[in-house]
């Protein structure tokens, strides 16, 4: 802002106790009294608030739609005062000696332990997560000085690390097929349709029934109004999701670049356009960047252009991420987060998300990830 195998009997018993309410209790020894605590559902902006009393707080929230990801934040302390949580019906207790969530302990129902295991796998400061970030920085540095050999070397290592992480997520899901946390991992780390279908086929009823998975399977129906988060106040409505599909005319848009110049789809009329939605804070977006770079380098002189539409709400974070990751194609951002009208018009409920548009303005493909990007381009651009 950890790994235990449970028997099927134990899991079934734990998941069966479905009271449709989550109870969050916390005791943080130095938590500032009378400070506002907020619980957000990032997709919709639903939120609950309480204040800290005696360095403790309790939040009860109905969970009629099943498990989902939430942000729990104390005051306005940024990452130090916030933690990402998977929540579903049941109980979770947070305890720690500090004022916020750093080094805190999490206990409660089965899904609490499972979420901690997943957080350990995703940790960007340890193991392959840290290695992945370090290799991305090395790739960017090599590219800046034109050292193609070094960039290629680091790129191969990056791919190997990414594959190891993917395998770790895949193995965890296989070991926890009925966990709502598996539904989260399936929707975040396996966006290629073939990979996603393979993972989905092994999931249990509880995982499939989660709010996360149902939102992926039925975009715009489970939660029809995505929101952008603003600490201290409700988010802003994104509006009605579009229902774009292959063969449709791509919705038009006009979004400013870093200098405030408006960039429109019409500016690329007669070209193949790869529209990529991402954000600086989006962890799953980062592994896609090398594949996008490879595709852009190969096809940029063949009547092809890429447009990266960021869902950032802070310009500095956006600009720094573009520079850090060497995203050297067209970059635009409305600074509206999930309230951006462009992603709403394309019907996306998650990122990374992308759309390939033909010279005639029609949608040719959607949701291309990893090697599928270049494969699809090779099919249509000769």
């Amino acid at each position: 802002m950890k790994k235990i195998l449970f028997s099927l009997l134990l899991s079934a018993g734990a998941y069966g106790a479905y009271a449709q309410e989550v109870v969050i209790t916390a005791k943080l020894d130095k938590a500032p009294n009378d400070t506002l605590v907020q619980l957000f559902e990032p997709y919709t902006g639903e939120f609950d608030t309480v204040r800290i009393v005696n360095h403790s707080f309790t939040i009860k929230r109905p969970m009629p739609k099943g498990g989902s990801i939430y942000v729990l934040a104390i005051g306005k302390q940024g990452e130090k005062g916030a933690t990402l949580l998977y929540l579903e019906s049941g109980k979770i207790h947070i305890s720690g000696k500090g004022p916020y969530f750093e080094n805190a302990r999490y206990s409660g129902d089965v899904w609490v332990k499972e979420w901690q295991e997943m957080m350990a796998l995703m940790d960007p400061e340890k193991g392959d997560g840290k290695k992945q970030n370090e290799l991305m920085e090395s790739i960017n540095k090599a590219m800046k000085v034109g050292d193609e050999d070094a960039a290629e070397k680091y790129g191969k290592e990056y791919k190997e690390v990414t594959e190891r992480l993917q395998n770790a997520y895949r193995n965890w899901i296989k070991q926890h097929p009925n966990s709502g946390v598996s539904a989260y991992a399936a929707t975040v780390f396996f966006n290629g349709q073939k990979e996603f279908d393979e993972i989905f086929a092994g999931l249990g009823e509880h995982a499939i029934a989660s709010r996360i998975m149902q939102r992926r399977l039925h975009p715009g129906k489970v939660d029809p109004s995505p929101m952008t988060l603003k600490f201290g106040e409700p988010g802003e409505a994104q509006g009605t999701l579009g229902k774009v599909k292959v063969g449709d005319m791509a919705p038009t848009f006009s979004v400013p670049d870093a200098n405030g110049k408006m960039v429109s789809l019409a500016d690329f009329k007669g070209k193949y356009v790869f529209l990529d939605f991402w954000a600086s804070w989006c962890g799953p977006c980062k592994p896609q960047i090398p594949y996008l770079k490879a595709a852009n380098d190969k096809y940029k002189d063949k009547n092809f252009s890429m447009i990266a539409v960021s869902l950032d709400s802070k310009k500095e974070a956006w600009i720094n991420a573009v520079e850090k990751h060497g995203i050297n194609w067209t970059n635009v951002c409305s600074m509206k987060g999930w309230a951006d009208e462009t992603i709403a018009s394309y019907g996306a409920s998650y990122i990374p998300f992308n759309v390939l548009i033909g010279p005639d303005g029609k949608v040719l493909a959607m949701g291309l990830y990893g090697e599928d990007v270049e494969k699809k381009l090779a099919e249509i651009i000769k």
Side-chain angles (χ1 to χ4, degrees):
M1 227 202 324
K2 311 199 178 180
K3 198 163 192 178
I4 297 178
L5 290 176
F6 293 90
S7 68
L8 292 176
L9 180 60
L10 177 59
S11 295
Y15 292 130
Y18 201 35
Q20 294 195 329
E21 179 185 67
V22 64
V23 180
I24 305 170
T25 56
K27 177 67 170 70
L28 301 170
D29 293 350
K30 297 181 181 179
N33 288 328
D34 201 37
T35 299
L36 191 70
V37 178
Q38 302 183 60
L39 179 69
F40 290 97
E41 207 283 355
Y43 182 88
T44 63
E46 297 171 357
F47 71 101
D48 296 89
T49 62
V50 296
R51 290 196 176 273
I52 296 174
V53 178
N54 294 327
H55 311 293
S56 305
F57 63 85
T58 297
I59 296 178
K60 294 182 179 181
R61 178 167 185 78
M63 301 290 286
K65 296 183 180 181
S68 188
I69 294 297
Y70 289 78
V71 176
L72 182 64
I74 296 176
K76 298 180 179 181
Q77 301 300 319
E79 292 183 1
K80 290 184 179 180
T83 186
L84 191 67
L85 293 175
Y86 168 81
L87 300 175
E88 62 179 58
S89 296
K91 296 180 180 181
I92 177 173
H93 180 69
I94 306 170
S95 59
K97 297 185 179 299
Y100 305 112
F101 300 110
E102 189 173 4
N103 298 320
R105 297 179 299 279
Y106 299 80
S107 59
D109 287 352
V110 173
W111 49 265
V112 180
K113 180 64 174 177
E114 292 172 343
W115 179 242
Q116 293 310 298
E117 292 177 13
M118 182 56 62
M119 287 289 283
L121 288 178
M122 297 188 300
D123 195 334
E125 301 298 329
K126 297 179 181 178
D128 279 341
K130 181 179 181 181
K131 183 67 174 177
Q132 189 180 55
N133 287 334
E134 291 173 345
L135 285 169
M136 179 58 74
E137 292 181 5
S138 297
I139 292 170
N140 291 333
K141 289 178 181 178
M143 292 180 67
K144 283 183 178 180
V145 298
D147 190 342
E148 295 182 5
D149 290 338
E152 183 178 359
K153 172 180 176 293
Y154 293 132
K156 289 180 179 179
E157 292 179 26
Y158 182 92
K159 183 178 180 180
E160 292 173 357
V161 172
T162 300
E163 288 177 351
R164 286 204 301 269
L165 282 171
Q166 290 289 95
N167 286 332
Y169 299 137
R170 188 178 287 106
N171 289 336
W172 195 94
I173 292 172
K174 287 181 179 179
Q175 295 168 4
H176 305 79
N178 208 30
S179 169
V181 176
S182 290
Y184 165 80
T187 58
V188 170
F189 300 117
F190 300 96
N191 284 318
Q193 193 60 50
K194 183 179 179 181
E195 281 189 316
F196 175 78
D197 289 344
E198 291 174 352
I199 297 295
F200 180 80
L203 295 180
E205 292 183 3
H206 182 83
I208 293 173
S210 69
R211 187 176 187 178
I212 295 171
M213 183 56 69
Q214 287 299 305
R215 195 155 54 203
R216 168 67 185 268
L217 298 176
H218 308 289
K221 294 182 179 179
V222 177
D223 290 309
S225 301
M227 312 288 276
T228 182
L229 295 183
K230 289 186 177 181
F231 279 43
E233 57 184 319
E236 298 174 359
Q238 180 190 37
T240 303
L241 282 171
K243 295 183 179 180
V244 178
K245 60 183 182 297
V246 173
D248 288 350
M249 290 299 296
T252 59
F253 59 83
S254 186
V255 186
D257 64 14
N259 297 316
K261 179 182 177 181
M262 301 305 292
V263 176
S264 302
L265 181 59
D267 299 335
F268 300 84
K269 186 177 181 179
K271 288 189 173 185
Y272 291 97
V273 177
F274 189 88
L275 192 61
D276 181 59
F277 294 94
W278 74 295
S280 66
W281 42 261
C282 171
C285 295
K286 295 175 184 178
Q288 302 303 324
I289 295 174
Y291 295 104
L292 299 183
K293 285 185 178 181
N296 186 60
D297 289 344
K298 186 173 182 178
Y299 292 98
K300 64 183 178 182
D301 297 323
K302 297 183 179 181
N303 199 39
F304 173 81
S305 294
M306 277 190 172
I307 305 175
V309 182
S310 171
L311 297 191
D312 278 283
S313 57
K314 295 181 180 180
K315 187 173 183 178
E316 183 178 2
W318 168 47
I319 298 299
N320 288 344
V322 169
E323 181 178 351
K324 177 181 179 181
H325 298 298
I327 304 176
N328 58 352
W329 44 92
T330 302
N331 286 276
V332 297
C333 183
S334 66
M335 301 299 158
K336 295 180 180 179
W338 277 106
D340 180 81
E341 294 85 355
T342 304
I343 195 167
S345 68
Y346 280 85
S349 58
Y350 58 88
I351 55 174
F353 176 80
N354 55 63
V355 180
L356 178 60
I357 304 167
D360 59 357
K362 291 185 178 180
V363 175
L364 298 177
M366 302 173 71
L368 299 173
Y369 301 96
E371 296 178 351
D372 290 344
V373 177
E374 273 200 70
K375 287 181 180 179
K376 188 62 178 181
L377 294 178
E379 289 178 12
I380 64 175
I381 302 178
K382 306 299 182 181

